[in-house]
């Protein structure tokens, strides 16, 4: 029996064209490969779960593919397969949080002298690079500025501002952005079709909203829902699974605020508290809903939403001034 593979790993992009929401970066990297303009060091920065490490691995495959360097790695040669599995001796993935000290930097400096075993490049992918100490960065400075021709560094970070300016200025920098709700929703639908499970629009919307623009977070939440249910995934089920408040509570509270009905507002708070919901979560949900309602009242086209949300917003858009 095959071991279960979580959706985030099973559906990890294998090619630049499969990375959603980062087309601007994929295009530049593919062009650089096509024109043989490979830099010696890159910084991939941006929020978590949007494709930084995935893109780094794809870039590594593109550079070290037996057919390459090539914008679209074959995915079937030994080099591509080893990189995908994380076992390539020429593509070394390091965690900046675990390799922070100057002794780790010195070891890396010694190792870069050795040529790749079976590839064109020896590639260092350093995740959470901002966690590397100042002393270690200082030691790496000369190596990153003038590495051997066979070396490529890719520093991935969620906190670009913590990378020293001396390092940053010697790297090509790519800023990854949050993925749009539309793209994440579409990806969930594609996975549902391939994995043969049913999920309704409301459930997709809830998972998409909870992901905050992170594809990895969205697939982790989807995995949680799929693993705990053998029937169709509904909005009600996913909302309960994630411990979210029922939407009608927020809608009712908005009405009572507009009416100035303090008694009914307090009754909702009492009910929510007695049912075990977090009061701070209620405040957060209310805040987010009012913000979305405000945006919708200004221009409905600026807000991506579920059909049910649109019904609520249409009814309530004139309750308050901007």
């Amino acid at each position: 029996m095959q071991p279960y593979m979580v959706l985030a790993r099973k559906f990890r992009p294998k090619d630049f064209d499969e990375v959603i929401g980062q087309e601007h970066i994929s295009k530049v990297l593919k062009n650089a490969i096509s024109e043989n303009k490979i830099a010696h060091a890159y910084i991939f920065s941006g929020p978590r779960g949007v494709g930084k490490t995935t893109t780094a691995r794809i870039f590594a495959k593109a550079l070290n593919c037996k057919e390459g360097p090539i914008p679209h790695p074959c995915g079937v040669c030994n080099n591509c397969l080893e990189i995908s599995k994380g076992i390539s001796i020429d593509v070394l993935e390091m965690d900046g949080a675990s390799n922070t000290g100057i002794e780790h930097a010195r070891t890396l400096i010694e190792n870069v002298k050795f040529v790749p075993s079976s590839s064109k490049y020896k590639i260092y992918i350093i995740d959470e690079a901002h966690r590397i100490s100042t002393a270690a960065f200082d030691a790496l400075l000369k190596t990153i500025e003038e590495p051997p021709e066979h070396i490529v560094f890719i520093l991935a970070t969620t906190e670009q501002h913590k990378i020293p300016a001396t390092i940053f200025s010697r790297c090509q920098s790519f800023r990854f952005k949050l993925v749009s709700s539309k793209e994440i929703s579409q990806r969930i639908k594609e996975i549902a079709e391939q994995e043969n499970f049913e999920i309704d629009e409301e459930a997709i919307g809830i998972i998409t909203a909870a992901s905050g623009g992170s594809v990895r977070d969205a697939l982790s939440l989807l995995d949680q829902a799929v693993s705990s249910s053998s029937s169709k995934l509904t909005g009600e089920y996913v909302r309960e699974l994630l411990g979210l408040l029922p939407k009608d509570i927020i809608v009712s509270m908005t009405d009572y605020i507009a009416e100035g009905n303090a008694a009914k507002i307090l009754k909702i708070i009492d009910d929510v508290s007695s049912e075990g919901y977090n009061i701070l979560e209620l405040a957060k949900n209310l805040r987010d809903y009012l913000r979305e309602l405000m945006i919708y009242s200004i221009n409905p086209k600026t807000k991506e939403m579920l059909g049910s949300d649109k019904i609520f917003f249409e009814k309530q858009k004139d309750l308050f001034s901007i």
Side-chain angles (χ1 to χ4, degrees):
M1 184 177 179
Q2 286 285 87
Y4 179 72
M5 183 179 290
V6 297
L7 297 178
R9 287 186 59 199
K10 186 173 184 179
F11 291 94
R12 184 190 292 273
K14 299 177 178 63
D15 187 270
F16 285 119
D17 293 344
E18 295 179 13
V19 181
I20 64 173
Q22 314 300 341
E23 291 79 10
H24 59 301
I25 293 172
S26 295
K27 182 178 179 181
V28 174
L29 292 177
K30 286 191 292 184
N31 286 343
I33 295 167
S34 297
E35 297 173 15
N36 195 29
K37 294 180 179 179
I38 311 301
H40 59 269
Y42 297 84
I43 291 177
F44 290 176
S45 63
R48 72 180 194 280
V50 295
K52 299 185 298 297
T53 306
T54 293
T55 300
R57 289 174 182 167
I58 294 170
F59 191 40
K61 285 195 291 185
L63 294 179
N64 282 350
C65 177
K66 292 291 187 182
E67 303 291 327
I70 187 171
H72 297 281
C74 72
V76 295
C77 68
N78 284 341
N79 285 359
C80 285
L81 292 174
E82 287 177 358
I83 294 169
S84 294
K85 294 175 183 177
I87 58 173
S88 172
I89 59 174
D90 293 327
V91 178
L92 307 175
E93 293 192 31
M94 304 169 61
D95 179 13
S98 304
N99 297 274
T100 60
I102 192 167
E103 67 279 3
H104 297 110
R106 287 171 177 157
T107 301
L108 190 153
I109 291 167
E110 287 298 313
N111 289 338
V112 299
K113 299 174 183 177
F114 301 106
V115 298
S117 173
S118 59
S119 311
K120 184 168 185 177
Y121 294 97
K122 178 171 280 190
I123 300 168
Y124 289 87
I125 300 173
I126 305 177
D127 204 8
E128 297 297 315
H130 60 275
R131 301 282 294 277
I132 295 174
S133 69
T134 301
F137 266 130
D138 287 343
L140 285 173
L141 184 59
K142 188 66 176 176
T143 302
I144 288 180
E145 183 176 24
E146 296 178 4
E149 290 186 0
H150 60 269
I151 295 294
V152 173
F153 288 101
I154 304 175
L155 311 182
T157 176
T158 54
E159 300 185 50
Q160 176 186 297
H161 60 281
K162 291 186 178 180
I163 302 292
T166 50
I167 297 291
F168 189 83
S169 64
R170 289 163 172 80
C171 302
Q172 283 194 13
S173 177
F174 292 90
R175 179 75 184 175
F176 286 67
K177 61 183 182 180
L178 291 171
V179 181
S180 72
S181 298
K182 184 177 180 180
E183 290 172 308
I184 292 178
S185 297
Q186 183 58 38
R187 187 65 179 136
I188 291 173
K189 290 175 184 176
E190 292 169 355
I191 291 173
E193 187 174 337
Q194 292 180 50
E195 291 292 287
N196 198 30
F197 62 82
E198 289 186 279
I199 181 169
D200 68 20
E201 288 289 341
E202 186 182 2
I204 292 173
I206 292 169
I207 290 172
T208 299
S211 73
S214 165
V215 181
R216 185 175 65 219
D217 285 6
L219 296 191
S220 295
L221 292 172
L222 180 62
D223 221 338
Q224 183 182 350
V226 171
S227 300
S228 60
S229 175
S230 58
S231 56
K232 181 177 181 177
L233 298 178
T234 64
E236 182 182 0
Y237 177 79
V238 172
R239 188 178 291 279
E240 185 176 333
L241 179 70
L242 300 182
L244 302 177
L245 287 159
K247 194 62 169 276
D248 59 340
I249 289 177
I250 303 300
V251 173
S252 296
M253 202 163 185
T254 301
D255 282 331
Y256 297 147
I257 290 171
E259 295 170 8
N261 194 329
K264 288 189 176 179
I265 291 172
L266 290 174
K267 178 66 166 61
I268 286 180
I269 292 172
D270 186 49
D271 290 343
V272 165
S273 179
S274 64
E275 289 177 21
Y277 288 107
N278 188 311
I279 295 298
L280 289 178
E281 192 67 24
L282 168 64
K284 178 180 178 295
N285 290 351
L286 180 62
R287 177 201 67 189
D288 292 346
Y289 182 80
L290 290 173
R291 177 182 180 276
E292 291 172 353
L293 179 60
M294 179 189 71
I295 293 171
Y296 184 84
S297 69
I298 297 170
N299 184 358
K301 294 181 180 178
T302 63
K303 189 70 194 159
E304 295 177 15
M305 68 189 68
L306 299 168
S308 58
D309 285 350
K310 187 172 182 178
I311 293 171
F312 294 141
F313 287 165
E314 273 296 319
K315 289 180 178 178
Q316 297 183 319
K317 66 179 181 180
D318 298 320
L319 289 178
F320 308 97
S321 67
I322 301 301

